[in-house]
Amino acid sequence: MSDLCRVLMIGHLSRDLQRRRRDDGVIYGVSTLCAARTLLVAGHPVVATTRLTLEVVGAARVASVAQQFGAGSRVLVEGHLELREATGIERLPLADGTGEVLVRVPRRELVLVVATIFNADPPLPTAEAQRQPAQVWWDEAA
């Protein structure tokens, strides 16, 4: 049996989808999903935010998602996780302070590759539904 790595997350997009192109010509979009939760630490509420990189693959899907969702949109995302390895370059100062040296640093990043994305905001009631009196299941005369 093969392993299953499916993820469902609800969160807010922290930035608009950025369109990019890989070396093999595949177009993809990148954004960041932020999911916050409140924890109690020593009796005080602390908000813990988790940031996860999203990747939408395919030119048509990137255009559709970019048109529907922007920064701050609350979305429900389904997809799978991939561990990406890359090499970054950092500038480090020399010990004697005379200059800098460039150092290659291996980096790992967990990426959520999007299969489906939905609007997670609850629908607003229509004006007609707001005018209707609330229906109750109990007898108000009692």
Side-chain angles (χ1 to χ4, degrees):
M1 180 177 187
S2 65
D3 293 336
L4 179 65
C5 179
R6 281 315 236 188
V7 176
L8 283 173
M9 278 190 75
I10 296 177
H12 294 276
L13 294 178
S14 66
R15 59 186 169 146
D16 290 337
L17 202 63
Q18 296 175 349
R19 186 178 161 152
R20 297 183 182 167
R21 182 183 302 263
R22 289 189 190 146
D23 293 336
D24 58 359
V26 174
I27 295 175
Y28 66 102
V30 177
S31 185
T32 305
L33 182 74
C34 295
R37 60 189 174 136
T38 304
L39 306 170
L40 285 177
V41 177
H44 300 287
V46 176
V47 177
T49 303
T50 303
R51 296 181 187 275
L52 190 60
T53 302
L54 291 181
E55 183 178 280
V56 179
V57 179
R61 293 186 69 209
V62 169
S64 174
V65 170
Q67 184 179 19
Q68 292 178 4
F69 306 107
S73 296
R74 188 166 184 230
V75 293
L76 173 113
V77 178
E78 178 192 6
H80 67 276
L81 295 173
E82 288 184 7
L83 184 62
R84 303 279 171 85
E85 296 186 15
T87 303
I89 297 177
E90 292 186 9
R91 294 178 183 266
L92 297 176
L94 294 174
D96 58 2
T98 58
E100 297 178 336
V101 63
L102 297 177
V103 178
R104 289 182 180 248
V105 179
R107 293 187 180 159
R108 289 185 174 179
E109 181 181 27
L110 199 58
V111 176
L112 176 57
V113 179
V114 176
T116 55
I117 184 168
F118 301 102
N119 185 3
D121 286 328
L124 296 173
T126 62
E128 183 177 313
Q130 291 175 352
R131 287 193 298 264
Q132 298 292 329
Q135 295 180 358
V136 294
W137 52 270
W138 64 89
D139 185 16
E140 290 185 6

